[in-house]
Amino acid sequence: MNCKLNTYHMKKTLLATLLCALFFVGNAQDPQTGTLDETFGTDGVARISPSSYFDFISALLVQPDGKILTVGRSRQDGANYTVYTARVNSDGTVDDIYGNGGVALFQADPLLYLNESRDAVLAADGTLMIAGHLYD
């Protein structure tokens, strides 16, 4: 039982560490002072809203050229979730040449209620691989 308790606390600590790391990557900071880099995006924050409904990020990746990818799910039609990727430039501005206005979508055919990404990695050749699942 003690082993299970330790595993639970390790997972909880790892999750908290990961969430802190994502905050610091998503909000650019000056590495010298630890203050928010207000030249990144708008006032130090890059914002991409794939839809006007519910959007969730499941992974954040930085490409070798410094561009930042987010992967998640978006409720494009207000009812069904779609897997999305979005990209901003290294300065936090939307990368308009990526997808449609910085956002690329994947919806299963036929339409399923929930397409959900869980994680993503960039291969050495730059290929984006997304893992997730579908619900009908």
Side-chain angles (χ1 to χ4, degrees):
M1 185 173 243
N2 191 17
C3 185
K4 287 183 182 179
L5 183 61
N6 288 338
T7 302
Y8 171 76
H9 288 293
M10 286 177 54
K11 287 180 182 178
K12 194 172 180 181
T13 302
L14 180 61
L15 178 61
T17 303
L18 177 61
L19 290 175
C20 288
L22 289 178
F23 175 78
F24 289 119
V25 172
N27 294 298
Q29 291 191 345
D30 181 334
Q32 301 299 318
T33 64
T35 58
L36 193 63
D37 177 0
E38 294 186 15
T39 65
F40 179 83
T42 303
D43 298 326
V45 179
R47 291 178 178 86
I48 290 187
S49 297
S51 74
S52 58
Y53 298 99
F54 301 102
D55 302 318
F56 300 92
I57 294 176
S58 58
L60 185 139
L61 306 162
V62 180
Q63 297 178 182
D65 63 0
K67 292 184 179 186
I68 302 166
L69 285 166
T70 60
V71 178
R73 71 177 192 227
S74 177
R75 207 167 191 174
Q76 293 293 308
D77 61 6
N80 301 291
Y81 284 100
T82 301
V83 172
Y84 85 89
T85 61
R87 188 166 72 183
V88 297
N89 297 307
S90 59
D91 64 359
T93 59
V94 174
D95 185 354
D96 287 326
I97 64 169
Y98 185 80
N100 183 8
V103 177
L105 304 170
F106 168 76
Q107 177 67 53
D109 186 22
L111 182 68
L112 298 172
Y113 165 70
L114 178 60
N115 296 291
E116 183 174 35
S117 63
R118 288 295 191 161
D119 202 359
V121 295
L122 279 172
D125 67 357
T127 301
L128 174 62
M129 294 180 276
I130 301 171
H133 56 264
L134 308 174
Y135 290 108
D136 63 7

